[in-house]
Amino acid sequence: MAQDAKEPRALYDVAPWSVVESSFSSEAYPLSEGVLALSNGYLGVRSSFEEGLCFSEGMKGHYAADVFNARPRPTVITLPGCPENPREIVNLPDFTCLRIFVNGDPVDMGYCDITSYTRALHMDQGVITRRVELTTPGGVPLSLSSTRFVCRCRPHVAAFQLSLCVSEKAADVSIEAGIDGRVTNRGGYAHLCDLAPTAETSGRSVMLATTCERDVEVAVLTHDELSPMESVCDASSEKNAFAGLWFEGRLTRNVPVIFTRIAAVATSRESRESGAAFALAREELGKACAAGFDHLLAEQQEAWLKVWAESDVSLDIDSDDSAAIQQGVRYALFQLFQHTAAARPVGSRGLICERASGGCSWDMYTAVLPGLALLRPEEAKEIVFKLIARLPAAQAKSAEMGLKGAKFPWRSGPEGEETCPLWQFSLTGLHVTAGLAWGVWFTYRTTRDIALLTDGGMDVLMETARFWASRVYRHQGSDTYELRSVTGFGEYHQDINNDFYTNAMARWNLRIVTTALTALEEANPTSARQARERLNITSDELDAFEEIAANMLLPFNHDKGLSVGFDGEEDLEPVVIPELALGHPLDEIWTFDRLGRSHVLRRSGVIAAQIFLADCGDLEQRRRDFDYYTPITTHDSALSMCHHSIAAAQIGKIDDAEALFHRIVRLDLENIPRNSQLGPHISCLTAIWQSIIHGFLGMPMHADIPTIAPHLPVGWKKIQTSITCGTTRLNILAEPGQVTLSANQGHLEVIVWGETVLVGESPITVMGS
């Protein structure tokens, strides 16, 4: 029988371009389902074995972007502004479903004796391979190998190929291959109804379904081949919601039997016409089958080769863990690239599970979106346009709360609706609104594509500013504006007044409207005039925005010279953070009652505001604040470690920055949060890349002109990468004491260690002081 480890194994073999699982453990299987999962931004597939695994706690999952359904919560009190029946992403019919039998015995790694095992995620290709030597319960030695991918170039298509071979006696092989509609979300809730399974002995199987709200049609089609094959028959069962075929063949010595599946998924999110989902899936499947598995694989490899040629980060570090760090950075980028390939807003765990309802969370706007803007700007712009389309829902939410403008959800579904049922976040988690506006502006400032403003971005900036203007409070006789009763950026403290991060981001949001209007007037006066008329923008309103921003309260302790996280923070009970909690959720150890009265933070809003915004403290202020907040921050949000790493590098604490970077660079590969089985932490992984760019390369997030001042940790001999500025790709080679720059076209003005240089196609080297 398979040899299982006593504890789930969280480590993977280190390799420059792959994540390798070189031994089999059924207890580690759920972790690998999440860590090795594949996506193309439209489809997401957990890395479960095609043939399944008995006696495991794994969870197969297949997801398509924007397919959500309501999940009733009858015991919850409904509050205005909170969803009564919050929607969550739907687990689709299982289209990687196989049952394999050799001489009547199941080929299941939970039953078989495993001689050797290797499974690898090839990040340079977007492909998973598996190679296994095993012996069936009936004593047949068998080689099994498989290749799986989700097509980057064909959003609706996924494919896999599985090979079986015997080296001794011949044996009979039978495969039940199909689409299993008997799926549920976590907790056993079924979101699909009206399942209609059919199969044809030509190899095609079809599963049609509708979400229970009757609002989305789903079509899953597969085409299967077994070669060589002796017979095939229909194995479908409407009663069991299974669409599939039963294949039989013969294994002869050293001659592999190959099973190939190409699958296509489409939904009525693409077209509301009845039957359109099936028509689209049928069309996509037909084109993919005509191309063939080998062509699809080559196409996949070529597409990923191009991605990496444009966006890799190459590190040269004089350290024993250099290769592990490089692998961690590439894994982080791989997850960003695969989950945004379809240019759609992405959930906190991508398209891999139902965590946080699968909705788009606030951290996407300040991590994923700006990272993508610098690396793959066309995809970032498309995501911004999709976020702009959600403005009406945000306006409706603000109106429901009795406010003006637009209040964006803490966690949003495909139409921009709120999917978080907790009032502490959906009603008083306000900073997400400014965060989205910040992400829109960052993308514009990076790409310089004025269409981002003319085609709705100006509307978003204006309506979010109006929200803040209607939400602030000014006590009679006071000189300052406040934001009271909010959930703080650190989240442990709720119903607080004047959260530093929220107030600072709101202040920025109020002021950026005038800046954006000026940019629009300079680039396209007609569009600027139309925006003023469409949005009814007046000088009086803009003056009011500036007056509020100029007098927004940012808590500060003048005696100590410290920025304060929120009113009353310093009066909270001093505590010693349990060592067990560092980097892990403290709310698993303490109740929220205790957290709310303790002087401890999940993440520091002061530190985050200082790396996002230019006006939250000079260098000395930032150093004092960093020294104050670091000891009381648990970092149980890995995003916090990224923020602190960036801040430490920017204030000259390079050793601290490197230490924090080491703690996060292999975040999911080593299961540091202890929940990576649910899928990759997309925002946190993108922030690992941000730690290099905005931290060690010294590129502030708020600079209008590309600015770079590298400070490499000791032993770091090279950082080589490229980013996009406008329409120009800037190539960067940072070495100790010097940086070499070149542009792929034209010339680009760059500030390097305070000196303005003109960068062209010929490399230019600038020496540090």
Side-chain angles (χ1 to χ4, degrees), residues 705-710 730-732 739-743 746-760 762-768:
I705 297 175
T707 302
I708 182 169
L730 178 66
N731 303 308
I732 304 169
V739 60
T740 302
L741 304 171
S742 65
H747 289 82
L748 186 67
E749 196 174 79
V750 182
I751 299 174
V752 186
W753 282 305
E755 175 188 352
T756 301
V757 299
L758 195 61
V759 179
S762 298
I764 178 174
T765 299
V766 182
M767 307 302 293

Side-chain angles (χ1 to χ4, degrees), residues 230-559:
E230 293 188 352
S231 68
V232 59
C233 65
D234 187 351
S236 298
S237 169
E238 187 171 347
K239 178 180 178 181
N240 293 324
F242 181 82
L245 300 166
W246 181 270
F247 295 88
E248 292 185 345
R250 181 73 173 166
L251 288 165
T252 57
R253 187 170 178 264
N254 295 330
V255 177
V257 167
I258 298 174
F259 177 85
T260 303
R261 165 168 288 183
I262 298 175
V265 177
T267 76
S268 58
R269 298 289 303 177
E270 282 73 49
S271 173
R272 291 296 182 179
E273 292 185 17
S274 179
F278 171 70
L280 178 57
R282 181 179 57 191
E283 178 185 0
E284 292 296 324
L285 182 64
K287 290 189 291 188
C289 290
F293 184 88
D294 291 342
H295 177 84
L296 294 177
L297 178 58
E299 186 179 76
Q300 175 83 347
Q301 293 165 333
E302 183 179 351
W304 273 100
L305 182 65
K306 182 180 179 182
V307 169
W308 287 112
E310 296 172 346
S311 309
D312 186 25
V313 174
S314 177
L315 304 176
D316 186 356
I317 304 174
D318 186 11
S319 168
D320 290 342
D321 56 3
S322 175
I325 293 172
Q326 178 70 81
Q327 183 190 42
V329 171
R330 285 194 174 127
Y331 179 80
L333 287 172
F334 173 76
Q335 295 299 345
L336 170 66
F337 297 151
Q338 74 161 351
H339 284 284
T340 57
R344 294 169 180 263
V346 61
S348 60
R349 298 299 184 92
L351 279 171
I352 301 306
C353 76
E354 302 119 42
R355 178 78 168 189
S357 80
C360 180
S361 300
W362 64 268
D363 46 4
M364 188 225 163
Y365 313 132
T366 57
V368 174
L369 193 53
L372 206 59
L374 288 167
L375 289 168
R376 304 193 62 78
E378 294 305 313
E379 290 162 14
K381 288 190 292 185
E382 285 301 311
I383 289 175
V384 167
F385 287 127
K386 290 180 174 68
L387 293 174
I388 288 171
R390 297 178 177 185
L391 179 60
Q395 291 171 309
K397 182 175 177 65
S398 187
E400 192 174 5
M401 294 171 63
L403 299 168
K404 297 179 181 179
K407 196 279 186 196
F408 280 88
W410 182 263
R411 210 167 58 215
S412 64
E415 307 292 347
E417 73 278 20
E418 179 69 74
T419 65
C420 179
L422 301 176
W423 67 266
Q424 299 94 323
F425 300 109
S426 60
L427 296 182
T428 64
L430 305 186
H431 64 75
V432 61
T433 296
L436 185 142
W438 185 91
V440 169
W441 180 254
F442 186 101
T443 306
Y444 161 71
R445 199 186 65 218
T446 299
T447 64
R448 293 299 174 184
D449 187 344
I450 198 66
L452 289 169
L453 296 182
T454 61
D455 297 351
M458 191 68 240
D459 302 60
V460 167
L461 297 178
M462 187 67 196
E463 291 301 305
T464 50
R466 283 172 169 158
F467 167 77
W468 295 115
S470 69
R471 181 60 168 77
V472 294
Y473 172 75
R474 188 174 191 174
H475 191 273
Q476 187 174 4
S478 172
D479 294 330
T480 59
Y481 288 89
E482 303 181 29
L483 285 167
R484 296 187 171 185
S485 189
V486 304
T487 293
F489 182 73
E491 297 178 14
Y492 284 160
H493 302 95
Q494 299 162 6
D495 195 26
I496 60 175
N497 297 332
N498 298 311
D499 177 63
F500 186 97
Y501 176 85
T502 303
N503 287 24
M505 291 290 281
R507 180 176 70 175
W508 169 88
N509 199 164
L510 289 159
R511 283 178 166 158
I512 204 62
V513 172
T514 300
T515 304
L517 271 174
T518 301
L520 193 54
E521 286 166 349
E522 292 175 353
N524 191 328
T526 300
S527 291
R529 185 185 68 253
Q530 292 171 344
R532 286 181 179 273
E533 293 173 355
R534 181 179 68 255
L535 297 169
N536 193 26
I537 301 174
T538 66
S539 297
D540 288 346
E541 188 173 28
L542 295 178
D543 290 344
F545 287 173
E546 175 54 36
E547 198 265 339
I548 295 170
N551 295 284
M552 181 72 76
L553 176 63
L554 293 186
F556 193 82
N557 185 321
H558 293 277
D559 293 335

Side-chain angles (χ1 to χ4, degrees), residues 93 181 192-196 207-211 216-220 266 268 277:
L192 295 174
C193 61
D194 302 331
L195 284 94
M207 180 70 73
L208 303 179
T210 307
T211 55
V216 180
E217 295 177 1
V218 176
V220 181
S268 58

